[in-house]
Amino acid sequence: MQEITSRWLLKVLPWVETSGGTYRVNRRLSYTVGDGRVEFVQDGSRVRVVPRGLGELPLLRGFDDLDVLTALARRCVQRDFHAGEVLVERGAPADRIHLIAHGRVAQATVGRYDDEVSVAVLAEGDRFGENALLDAEATWDHTATAATAGTLLTLTRAEFDSVLSNAPGLRAHLDGFRSLPRRPQNKHGEAEIAMAAGHTGEPAIPGTYVDYELHPREYELSLAQTVLRVHTRVSDLYNGPMNQTEEQLRLTVEALRERQEYELVNNKEFGLLHNVAFKQRLQTHSGPPTPDDLDELLCRRRGSKLFLAHPRTIAAIGREFNKRGLYPDHVDLGGQQVPAWRGVPILPCGKIPISKENTSSILVMRTGEANQGVVGLRQTGLPEEYEPGLSVRFMGIDEQSIVSYLVTTYFSAAVLVPDALGVLENVQIARRND
């Protein structure tokens, strides 16, 4: 059966017993506002922003007046750009917000020693310049240069003010938005825990409490199941030299486990690719996956336990290492030597998709409940359990002498804190002709 893979994700993911089929993740209350990505609609060569997508901007987060959002969306002007074009200059007056619909934009600034340093690479759904809509004296902090050809939409401060003058609800919303930074919070946007340190004498010690999210996320167990049908004639006559029912069941379980790993990566509700926090989504600086890109992934979290990438992506990583004269480390994982970078194993997962443009993603994660990482969810002790979290239940024999077995596995995954999971997106894996 060629479908069977190594299924490293299922092996290395710590599995947490989920009684009652639901797992709740309680987090500290966060005041971080509007970290989502803006969505667009393409009609031929014309691109329009989805009005409700503007609600992902920090200053519009939670504002739900569709008429006002539609008016703002209609005033966004499309701009096509080509590779190498300078979109904004550092220090120039900033009077508009840029919403990237397609392509990649590199941001750079001047370092301490007057050299140009790279700050970030933005891609589809990202934006820059939102502060310009509220600050008449704003200037560009970075120089933005198009890394590829693409399209963006711009909304000027003048157009924004025109809509604002006729929208009292929007004015009230912005007044509330301006008051948000006055709430005590740490650098991660979480509610601050007040404390005193380094004091002398007998000062009053501040009291505090840990403020939790009011509506914590609950993960319900998902499932994958199938019905295995075996004719009684097969099980009666052809069980030597091997048990036909057991062999068919073994291959069915293998297929279910493959589907389980696919869902853990791609499911839109709990899949890892869809649950990466937007601040943990990075773009490659040049396209291929370089050691610098992997370092950028690692520096965003403590205690990274593993990289997860498509085998073709791992081959692309190896090519970039070879170009620089580097040789990846190898670590022992369950008695098997696997490649690693900075001591973090790079594990293959063929379930990570590859786009038509030959780009893919690289996941990195911290795992385990104790480390506030990524955990797998399952429930054991099921009726007629065949493997942990997987049951095989006899369904009877029909009039055609077909024996039926219901094979079911229950599972899910949870990201305990946002920085436990990161992804490097739009990784170019095709070989370059250079």
Side-chain angles (χ1 to χ4, degrees), residues 249-300:
L249 179 59
R250 178 181 66 85
L251 296 180
T252 302
V253 170
E254 293 282 2
L256 273 180
R257 292 303 191 194
E258 293 292 331
R259 183 58 187 232
Q260 177 182 354
E261 187 177 59
Y262 175 87
E263 293 293 326
L264 288 173
V265 172
N266 297 286
N267 188 281
K268 292 185 178 182
E269 293 295 326
F270 58 84
L272 299 182
L273 285 176
H274 296 276
N275 281 272
V276 181
F278 289 107
K279 286 187 177 180
Q280 299 296 330
R281 296 177 183 268
L282 305 181
Q283 305 294 322
T284 61
H285 283 80
S286 59
T290 65
D292 296 336
D293 294 321
L294 299 185
D295 285 340
E296 187 75 15
L297 270 180
L298 291 178
C299 77
R300 293 297 183 101

Side-chain angles (χ1 to χ4, degrees), residues 311-358:
R312 288 182 58 190
T313 306
I314 296 178
I317 294 174
R319 289 196 296 270
E320 295 303 311
F321 282 1
N322 292 338
K323 287 181 181 178
R324 301 191 179 200
L326 299 174
Y327 188 75
D329 303 326
H330 279 75
V331 297
D332 183 273
L333 203 61
Q336 184 172 343
Q337 292 292 314
V338 297
W341 178 246
R342 309 292 190 191
V344 180
I346 306 173
L347 303 179
C349 178
K351 314 304 188 302
I352 298 178
I354 295 177
S355 71
K356 295 179 180 179
E357 294 79 21
N358 278 304

Side-chain angles (χ1 to χ4, degrees), residues 183-198:
R183 300 183 183 181
Q185 54 186 286
N186 61 20
K187 65 179 182 180
H188 302 291
E190 297 172 328
E192 184 180 16
I193 298 178
M195 63 185 67

